[in-house]
Amino acid sequence: MKTLRLFTTTILLLVFGAFANAQTADEILANYFENTGGIENWKSIEGMKMTGDAGFGPQSFPFVQIMMTDGRMRTEVDLQGQKFIPQAYDGEKMWGMNFQTMAAEEVDSETATNYKNNEANDFPDPFLNYKEKGYQVEYMGEETVEGVETYKLKLTKNKLISDGVEEDNFAVYYFDKENFVPILSENTMPVGPQKGMKVQTVYSDYQEAGDIFYPYSITTKFNGQAGQSIKIESIEINPSVEEVNFSMPTKE
C-alpha cells in the first residue's frame, strides 16, 4: 500500500508540475502581449509593411517587407538602384529572384512546404494563438543573459522537411523579466545550406508600431559570427496592398 501511495503521489506531482509549467509559460506570454500593446491589438493586425536597412557584413541595403496574416509576403531589396526580390509568397506559390539572372523562379517544393507549415503561420508573432497553430511552448526556467535576468521559453513548431526527412523545429526564447519582451532567441538550423549552424537572434530597440511595440533592431549571428542585421525605420500596420505585389512575374 505504501508503494501504491508513493506511486500515486509521484504521478500527481508530475501532472500538477506539468500544469504549473504550462501556466507559467502562458502567464509570461500574457504579460508579453499586455506590455507590448495588448492581446486585442495584436489580434487586430492583418498586415504589416516595414522599411529599413538590411546589413550583411560591411554592406547595407534598403529593404521593404510586406507580411500578411494569411501567409502572403514579399521582401524587396534595393541593390544599388536595382530591385531584387529574394522571396515572396502569393498564398499558393513561393518564389524569388535568381541573383545571377535576376529572373523570378519558383522555389523547390520542400522550401515551399516548410514555409506554409511554419513561417506562414508566424505573423504577426509566432507565440500569438500558438496552440491553434499546433505549436507547443515550454517553460525552461530562468537565466541571466549579458547581465539581464530572463525567463526561458522553448517554442516547438511544426516539423520541417530536409531531403525527405522530418526534422525537429524549435527555438529557445529569452524574455526580459522586467519588461516581458524577448531579447534573444537561439536555435540550430534544421534545414537548408546552413543546416547544423547555431543561430542567435538579438531583439532590441522596441518602439511603437501602431498600437503595439515591436523590435526595430534585429541582429542574427551564425556560429557566433556576425550574419545579418535589420534596422527598421518605419512600420505601417494594416497597409493597403495590391495582390500584384505577391504574384510571381510572368516570363515575357
Side-chain angles (χ1 to χ4, degrees), residues 130-141:
Y130 72 88
K131 294 177 183 177
E132 297 176 12
K133 302 170 184 177
Y135 298 172
Q136 295 180 335
V137 176
E138 179 183 357
Y139 175 65
M140 301 289 288

Side-chain angles (χ1 to χ4, degrees), residues 1-246:
M1 292 297 291
K2 183 182 293 185
T3 301
L4 178 59
R5 285 197 298 271
L6 179 60
F7 176 76
T8 303
T9 301
T10 301
I11 292 297
L12 288 173
L13 286 173
L14 289 173
V15 171
F16 284 113
F19 179 74
N21 264 0
Q23 287 294 100
T24 301
D26 285 341
E27 287 172 2
I28 292 169
L29 293 179
N31 282 319
Y32 161 52
F33 286 116
E34 181 62 30
N35 283 11
T36 54
I39 191 71
E40 294 306 319
N41 284 328
W42 277 95
K43 289 181 177 180
S44 70
I45 296 175
E46 296 180 355
M48 182 183 290
K49 181 178 180 180
M50 297 189 300
T51 61
D53 287 298
F56 303 89
Q59 295 183 305
S60 180
F61 305 95
F63 78 92
V64 178
Q65 186 174 55
I66 302 172
M67 297 177 290
M68 311 297 289
T69 52
D70 60 8
R72 290 178 298 158
M73 64 87 182
R74 170 192 171 110
T75 301
E76 180 179 318
V77 181
D78 184 342
L79 299 179
Q80 298 179 337
Q82 188 168 14
K83 179 177 67 177
F84 178 69
I85 302 173
Q87 58 180 2
Y89 178 63
D90 64 5
E92 295 183 0
K93 183 183 299 182
M94 191 173 186
W95 60 277
M97 283 184 170
N98 183 306
F99 188 75
Q100 300 297 326
T101 65
M102 300 301 286
E105 299 177 350
E106 191 170 353
V107 304
D108 64 89
S109 60
E110 279 193 356
T111 299
T113 298
N114 288 335
Y115 176 80
K116 294 174 185 178
N117 290 342
N118 287 280
E119 283 83 358
N121 304 316
D122 286 353
F123 178 79
D125 190 286
F127 289 104
L128 185 65
N129 299 326
Y130 72 88
K131 294 177 183 177
E132 297 176 12
K133 302 170 184 177
Y135 298 172
Q136 295 180 335
V137 176
E138 179 183 357
Y139 175 65
M140 301 289 288
E142 302 178 9
E143 187 169 325
T144 301
V145 178
E146 295 187 358
V148 179
E149 294 184 357
T150 69
Y151 295 113
K152 293 173 61 176
L153 295 185
K154 179 181 178 181
L155 174 65
T156 301
K157 304 200 297 184
N158 299 318
K159 290 183 181 293
L160 297 171
I161 306 297
S162 177
D163 296 326
V165 179
E166 287 190 339
E167 301 283 355
D168 290 334
N169 181 23
F170 64 87
V172 175
Y173 287 76
Y174 298 79
F175 285 73
D176 179 346
K177 289 180 65 175
E178 181 178 356
N179 299 305
F180 287 95
V181 295
I183 61 171
L184 172 70
S185 67
E186 296 179 328
N187 69 292
T188 300
M189 290 294 291
V191 298
Q194 296 168 326
K195 183 176 181 179
M197 283 191 176
K198 304 293 184 181
V199 183
Q200 285 188 321
T201 304
V202 177
Y203 311 92
S204 60
D205 192 20
Y206 280 81
Q207 298 182 35
E208 284 186 273
D211 294 322
I212 66 167
F213 282 82
Y214 198 86
Y216 274 59
S217 177
I218 303 173
T219 304
T220 303
K221 293 182 179 180
F222 297 94
N223 286 343
Q225 302 299 313
Q228 175 180 282
S229 62
I230 300 293
K231 299 293 184 183
I232 299 173
E233 295 178 356
S234 67
I235 294 179
E236 182 181 356
I237 302 295
N238 297 335
S240 176
V241 181
E242 295 183 4
E243 182 61 34
V244 68
N245 282 283
F246 309 105

